[in-house]
Amino acid sequence: NEPDIWGGTHMDVHPVASGYDELANDFEHEAGLVKTWDPAAVRFGPVSCCWWFYWNVGPTGDDKASHAGVDFLPWWLNQVYWMDQIHGSRTLDVFDVHAYADANTSGLTQPQLQAQAVSVYRDYWDPTYVSTSTSINQPYATKMEPNWTIPFRIPRLKAMVNAIYPGTPLSFTEWSAAFAGESDF
């Protein structure tokens, strides 16, 4: 789960940030083993934590330089696809990421926070929704992606999957906009 941030969440066993190669190689190895243990298992990957890490991973926070400047998710998906082609079997059953839509909530009242929490999900599907998120509105977060301030997550990621590894379903297994308060959700 969220191996892209293990260097911060599991420092006791993984003291440095995970890199592109490690994440692809570990997935390919473990996903192959899973089917030997349970032939009916459904394998999800890469189970990336959030927007920034869709595009950037690595020991220095940015492993792109040693991977032709390619954003992480398209690189990872392509790498897994090609490894599956080489080995002659599919390891990726569902392309999965976590999607924590967020927004600039500074100085908002509770009703404004609630309204923001409802509208922020437009970042999943609306091609006109310009995110106020500080994690999305960083020009260095995803320089290669067009309209980087407009997440358009579902269509953007579906297009990526269909272009790189056709026939792979897309999933969002964790999500929340509970910045208005957990009791509202």
Side-chain angles (χ1 to χ4, degrees), residues 3 23 27 31 42-48 72-73 76-77 80 91-98 161 168-171 173:
L23 292 171
F27 176 82
V42 177
R43 295 151 307 173
F44 288 69
V47 196
S48 189
F72 175 66
L73 283 185
W76 184 91
L77 190 59
V80 169
T91 57
L92 179 64
D93 297 312
V94 180
F95 184 68
D96 177 67
V97 296
H98 295 169
V161 172
T168 305
L170 171 65
S171 172
T173 54

Side-chain angles (χ1 to χ4, degrees), residues 124-141:
Y124 280 46
W125 57 268
D126 186 346
T128 65
Y129 179 74
V130 177
S131 176
T132 64
S133 165
T134 55
S135 66
I136 291 172
N137 285 307
Q138 297 174 15
Y140 50 90

Side-chain angles (χ1 to χ4, degrees), residues 21-146:
D21 294 322
E22 176 189 5
L23 292 171
N25 293 339
D26 284 355
F27 176 82
E28 196 69 23
H29 176 74
E30 296 301 326
L33 292 176
V34 166
K35 282 294 190 181
T36 64
W37 297 323
D38 181 357
V42 177
R43 295 151 307 173
F44 288 69
V47 196
S48 189
C49 86
C50 48
W51 184 262
W52 169 261
F53 291 99
Y54 292 2
W55 320 112
N56 305 279
V57 298
T60 62
D62 181 2
D63 210 11
K64 285 182 194 179
S66 59
H67 292 85
V70 177
D71 288 331
F72 175 66
L73 283 185
W75 181 90
W76 184 91
L77 190 59
N78 189 65
Q79 185 72 8
V80 169
Y81 171 78
W82 280 110
M83 292 303 292
D84 287 356
Q85 295 302 302
I86 290 166
H87 294 124
S89 63
R90 178 182 272 272
T91 57
L92 179 64
D93 297 312
V94 180
F95 184 68
D96 177 67
V97 296
H98 295 169
Y100 290 94
D102 61 355
N104 183 348
T105 59
S106 178
L108 298 181
T109 66
Q110 187 62 26
Q112 290 170 325
L113 284 171
Q114 291 167 331
Q116 183 74 286
V118 171
S119 71
V120 76
Y121 284 105
R122 289 175 49 208
D123 113 346
Y124 280 46
W125 57 268
D126 186 346
T128 65
Y129 179 74
V130 177
S131 176
T132 64
S133 165
T134 55
S135 66
I136 291 172
N137 285 307
Q138 297 174 15
Y140 50 90
T142 174
K143 291 180 184 176
M144 293 181 64
E145 295 300 310

